[in-house]
Amino acid sequence: MTALRWGILATGGIAHAFASDLRTAGLDLVAVGSRSQAAADRFAAEFNIPRAHASYEALVADPEVDIIYVSTPHPMHHAGAKLALENGKHVLVEKAFTVNRAEAEDLQRIAAERGLLVMEAMWTRYLPHMVRIRELIDSGSLGEIRAITADHTQLLPSDAAHRLNNLALGGGALLDLGIYPVSFIWDILGAPISIKASARLGDTGADTEVATMMTHEHGAVSTSFSSSRAAGPNSATIIGTEARIDIDRVWYTPTSFRVVAPDSTVWEEYSSRVEGRGMQYQAFAAEGAVAAGDMTGTLLPLPIAESVAIMGTLDEIRAQIGVRYPSEEHANG
């Protein structure tokens, strides 16, 4: 077992995936909290978790828990993470980190005041193939990066009552799907200098398709597309002056890629070999940051300051496409 004892706050689908990978990796999963004892007990029985709590408050108060994974719907991320931080727990918050930059900044402030780690669960950044891609870019093998393109497109339920289409639950393609290519582009090219976004909105007002075109330092450009109503290639390409990287579907999960020269010669082929879904790598990173005393995550592929800034990018995209969540209206009175 590792040094940190994990608790899981909320028991939805993504929590099941994370718990499974924690168990596969042999990490110390000791507690779960739900809004009902029955749900907590079912989850605990499925993953052999010793303590099941009937409330989030009871989970964060558990003295045997060191770090909490928050897996509620998006508008509840801030409240769940704040509750955990205020009870002295490190926190891994499911992506998108919050619903807006203001909430992200608040979590950053609380964590800093208490000397705790708060980290966004953008698990893709921690996968082995992404680590290798960053190594290749840092080595200069691709030359100057000129462009990136990536999509995250799935055929998901169109039911108006479904979480994905409910603005009150942070529904829409952007926070569930678009966060992946936007975070990926940030990872490789850094902050955008300009952002242009367009979208199609569904009957509930939630975005069903979102496209972005951004410019970055030294003139690099990026494009992204996300959709909850159609399944596309789910691939990504990084284009440099000396070579490009073609990442196969599904690019944001453990997958393969090729480094291709301008004459189509393949310089390198990479194929992932990962147990489970691969969500354990972000847990390893969180534990490593705590062990190193790196509470701002400066040594992580996604430090807290960047997660906050990315939420600002998503805010600008939503401003351009005309999407606002009810929780934001309530926050402003």
Side-chain angles (χ1 to χ4, degrees), residues 174 197-199 201 207 209-211 316-323:
L174 185 63
S198 60
L201 305 185
D207 45 292
E209 280 86 20
V210 181
E316 174 59 26
I317 292 169
R318 288 195 297 115
Q320 291 188 24
I321 66 176
V323 171

Side-chain angles (χ1 to χ4, degrees), residues 1-328:
M1 293 299 181
T2 52
L4 295 186
R5 299 164 296 181
W6 287 83
I8 293 181
L9 190 152
T11 56
I14 196 67
H16 280 76
F18 185 67
S20 178
D21 280 352
L22 287 185
R23 283 292 183 233
T24 295
L27 300 185
D28 200 1
L29 176 55
V30 302
V32 61
S34 185
R35 290 176 294 181
S36 74
Q37 189 66 59
D41 287 342
R42 285 193 299 270
F43 194 93
E46 181 177 353
F47 295 105
N48 193 28
I49 300 171
R51 287 187 300 288
H53 297 288
S55 70
Y56 301 154
E57 290 79 8
L59 172 67
V60 301
D62 188 333
E64 300 300 314
V65 174
D66 302 308
I67 184 167
I68 289 177
Y69 169 67
V70 175
S71 62
T72 55
H74 306 301
M76 295 80 172
H77 285 181
H78 175 262
K82 181 179 179 181
L83 184 67
L85 290 168
E86 290 180 340
N87 279 269
K89 312 301 186 187
H90 303 292
V91 182
L92 177 65
V93 186
E94 188 50 50
K95 44 77 193 106
F97 188 49
T98 52
V99 296
N100 56 40
R101 180 165 184 152
E103 289 187 351
E105 288 175 336
D106 191 51
L107 294 182
Q108 181 184 32
R109 175 188 59 79
I110 296 168
E113 289 174 352
R114 288 160 174 76
L116 296 167
L117 177 74
V118 61
M119 173 179 157
E120 182 179 6
M122 178 44 72
W123 62 293
T124 299
R125 290 221 187 178
Y126 301 89
L127 293 175
H129 75 287
M130 288 296 177
V131 174
R132 178 57 183 153
I133 285 170
R134 284 192 292 271
E135 291 173 348
L136 287 164
I137 292 171
D138 290 344
S139 74
S141 298
L142 272 62
E144 180 188 353
I145 306 301
R146 304 289 294 179
I148 292 178
T149 183
D151 80 298
H152 188 175
T153 48
Q154 298 188 40
L155 180 59
L156 299 175
S158 59
D159 179 4
H162 194 281
R163 178 190 68 80
L164 288 164
N165 305 304
N166 185 344
L167 283 177
L169 295 177
L174 185 63
L175 290 192
D176 266 274
L177 309 178
I179 179 61
Y180 282 88
V182 170
S183 184
F184 172 62
I185 289 165
W186 257 88
D187 188 13
I188 306 303
L189 293 178
I193 295 170
S194 68
I195 302 169
K196 293 183 179 179
S198 60
R200 175 185 292 178
L201 305 185
D203 293 341
T204 65
D207 45 292
T208 57
E209 280 86 20
V210 181
T212 69
M213 183 176 73
M214 300 187 284
T215 60
H216 304 263
E217 190 177 6
H218 305 305
V221 297
S222 66
T223 60
S224 75
F225 178 65
S226 56
S227 174
S228 60
R229 297 295 172 85
N234 286 302
S235 59
T237 300
I238 305 168
I239 303 170
T241 54
E242 300 299 322
R244 73 176 190 270
I245 296 177
D246 292 333
I247 313 176
D248 297 323
R249 65 173 294 124
V250 173
W251 69 265
Y252 48 85
T253 68
T255 188
S256 53
F257 69 79
R258 289 163 307 287
V259 182
V260 184
D263 65 359
S264 298
T265 301
V266 176
W267 288 353
E268 178 176 329
E269 293 188 72
Y270 181 98
S271 183
S272 295
R273 291 174 177 83
V274 171
E275 284 192 90
R277 192 168 187 243
M279 299 181 78
Q280 66 269 33
Y281 291 97
Q282 63 185 346
F284 292 145
E287 293 199 359
V290 172
D294 182 26
M295 299 309 170
T296 59
T298 55
L299 302 178
L300 295 174
L302 183 57
I304 179 59
E306 189 168 329
S307 288
V308 170
I310 288 171
M311 290 313 306
T313 295
L314 298 188
D315 286 353
E316 174 59 26
I317 292 169
R318 288 195 297 115
Q320 291 188 24
I321 66 176
V323 171
R324 189 169 177 83
Y325 304 117
S327 61
E328 295 176 304

